[in-house]
Amino acid sequence: MNLAGFRAVCDDGWRRVNDTPGFLSEREARFLMLAAAAAPADGAIVEIGSFKGRSTVGLAYVAQRYGLGNVVAIDPHTSPSTTDPDLGSRRSSYDEFQENLRRAGVAEAVDCRRAFSQEVARDWSRPIRLLWIDGDHLYEAVKRDLALFRPYLAPGAIVAMHDVVGTWPGPLRTFVEDVLGSDDFGPAGCFKSIGWAQYRPTNRRARGFRWRRWRLAVALRHLIPVAEAGWVTTGLDRWRHRFWWRLLPHGAVDPARWTAQVAIK
Ligand SMILES: C[S@@+](CC[C@H](N)C(=O)[O-])C[C@H]1O[C@@H](n2cnc3c(N)ncnc32)[C@H](O)[C@@H]1O
């Protein structure tokens, strides 16, 4: 991937994402597009939780521009979990999802699976280069989504999880326990509320990343009770919450630095 060219692709992609309703900030969308384009692994881009297509549009735009195959977008479109967005008077987000993909010009680049992640996982057999988890945010569900698709991660693949920082305890706990706590993962970090890590099961250098994963895990672990309390803290707890939160990376993504970090030498 040519980094100078990627900036223009990313700007175009962001314009399309920005026109699509949903739950993804600009920094998060730009990171996701970078991860889709630059993950040094072959395989599918898999999204769990599409809703009206905001993240799908960014992923599909990049997939289209770089010939990465169709994005597999998994969602029953019924907002089945208590952590899902409200559908209002509608029974499904599917029609709006399709309309948004068409408007963004990416409908042809998306393989829509109108099903639960656990149903799709039953017949799954393809390697994955980017696994984007943004479905049911309950602890057991996030853990299950990672466990079901983890066996298919290609070496070098990226796992990115939404709402690790700042909203739900489920993704936060799963990221700390199952991603940062595992030597199968190498480089890892956060961008806004996204937690990400690179799958490097056989790379000996992965041990060198243990310290950085541990440091990130220490700060995030202290935020689990804060997330469980709905991010409402007072007095000394508020001070502690802010202290650990400030230790997390909060900058915008730098494509050159990030790509160098995940390059497999
Ligand atoms: C937070 S929304 C996704 C937001 C979307 N990624 C965006 O960029 O706006 C969560 C979605 O997960 C879906 N969902 C809930 N449980 C699921 C499951 N088990 N498998 C797949 N999708 C699921 C819901 O239907 C809902 O549309």
Side-chain angles (χ1 to χ4, degrees), residues 22-23 49-51 54-55 75-76 79-80 84 116-118 134-136:
F23 301 89
S50 308
F51 191 50
R54 190 167 166 96
S55 52
D75 195 318
S79 279
D84 287 330
F116 286 92
S117 49
Q118 54 275 38
D134 193 16
D136 185 341

Side-chain angles (χ1 to χ4, degrees), residues 17 20-25 32 47-57 59 73-85 87 93 113 115-120 132-137 141 144-145 149 162-163 168:
V17 172
T20 310
F23 301 89
L24 202 70
S25 71
L32 212 52
E47 170 181 82
I48 301 176
S50 308
F51 191 50
K52 296 181 181 177
R54 190 167 166 96
S55 52
T56 327
V57 162
L59 293 172
I74 308 168
D75 195 318
H77 287 283
T78 52
S79 279
S81 172
T82 50
T83 65
D84 287 330
L87 290 174
S93 50
R113 306 287 183 96
F116 286 92
S117 49
Q118 54 275 38
E119 292 167 347
V120 174
W132 165 235
I133 302 180
D134 193 16
D136 185 341
H137 286 26
R144 182 198 58 217
D145 281 344
F149 287 92
H162 204 205
D163 297 322
W168 305 97

